[in-house]
Amino acid sequence: MARQKRTFNGMSYAQVQRANSENRRKLEKDEQQWLKTNGYKNVGWNHVIQLYEKIEEFLEASPLKDMSLEELFLEADRIGNKYLEPEDITNFNQQLAKEVSEIGELIDRQFPDTTIEVIDFSQPTAKKSPKKRNQKTYRTAKL
């Protein structure tokens, strides 16, 4: 009678070991050291499975470590929006757009752009680029 081959998440023993080794390299040094200190081993079915699950926990938590401050704020906003009604989100976005517009107007008053830029389409440009024959180029003149 043939013995049925044991698998975990559709992987054989050797495949789980290989996945553990590859994923362990993705962890921070202190996380790798923690695994070693706490007796997580890549030998024996039960140990291999426990190590696999613990590495997955670390990897799931680590995306937040690599995020910039802006990305963290966007993620927090996305999570917060899950608990708001659609009307609340719409009201907030309208209020935000109004305030951004007011700030833009204040900036324009504080730093007016007095330079007017005109594009002269009537005369051809002086330089022709041999590499970009089908690309149009235009001269600008500041008033």
Side-chain angles (χ1 to χ4, degrees):
M1 186 163 150
R3 190 167 175 219
Q4 187 176 2
K5 198 172 188 182
R6 188 172 174 188
T7 61
F8 173 74
N9 283 354
M11 296 183 283
S12 69
Y13 177 76
Q15 289 171 325
V16 177
Q17 281 185 311
R18 196 173 309 111
N20 284 347
S21 296
E22 290 170 3
N23 289 334
R24 188 167 193 228
R25 285 188 214 114
K26 297 176 186 175
L27 298 176
E28 301 287 328
K29 291 290 180 195
D30 59 328
E31 293 169 336
Q32 292 177 8
Q33 187 60 43
W34 187 92
L35 289 170
K36 185 175 183 178
T37 305
N38 289 288
Y40 286 89
K41 299 177 183 177
N42 207 15
V43 177
W45 259 114
N46 293 336
H47 291 240
V48 168
I49 291 170
Q50 288 172 350
L51 178 62
Y52 182 89
E53 290 170 343
K54 195 63 179 176
I55 289 173
E56 288 296 311
E57 276 182 43
F58 281 134
L59 290 175
E60 286 175 10
S62 67
L64 297 178
K65 291 180 184 176
D66 298 332
M67 287 182 161
S68 68
L69 187 58
E70 180 182 5
E71 291 169 330
L72 286 170
F73 275 113
L74 290 172
E75 181 66 13
D77 188 46
R78 185 190 65 76
I79 292 169
N81 283 343
K82 286 202 279 189
Y83 301 101
L84 295 175
E85 297 294 322
E87 304 88 42
D88 295 335
I89 295 171
T90 303
N91 290 339
F92 174 78
N93 288 338
Q94 288 174 347
Q95 183 65 29
L96 180 64
K98 180 182 173 191
E99 290 180 20
V100 167
S101 174
E102 290 172 1
I103 291 170
E105 289 173 9
L106 283 172
I107 290 172
D108 287 344
R109 274 190 250 135
Q110 293 290 325
F111 305 100
D113 188 12
T114 56
T115 318
I116 300 172
E117 188 174 80
V118 178
I119 299 175
D120 184 7
F121 293 100
S122 64
Q123 299 178 4
T125 60
K127 283 199 255 177
K128 296 271 185 198
S129 175
K131 295 177 186 171
K132 301 174 184 174
R133 290 187 176 91
N134 295 332
Q135 182 179 357
K136 292 183 180 181
T137 55
Y138 302 100
R139 231 177 11 174
T140 59
K142 294 207 178 210
L143 302 177

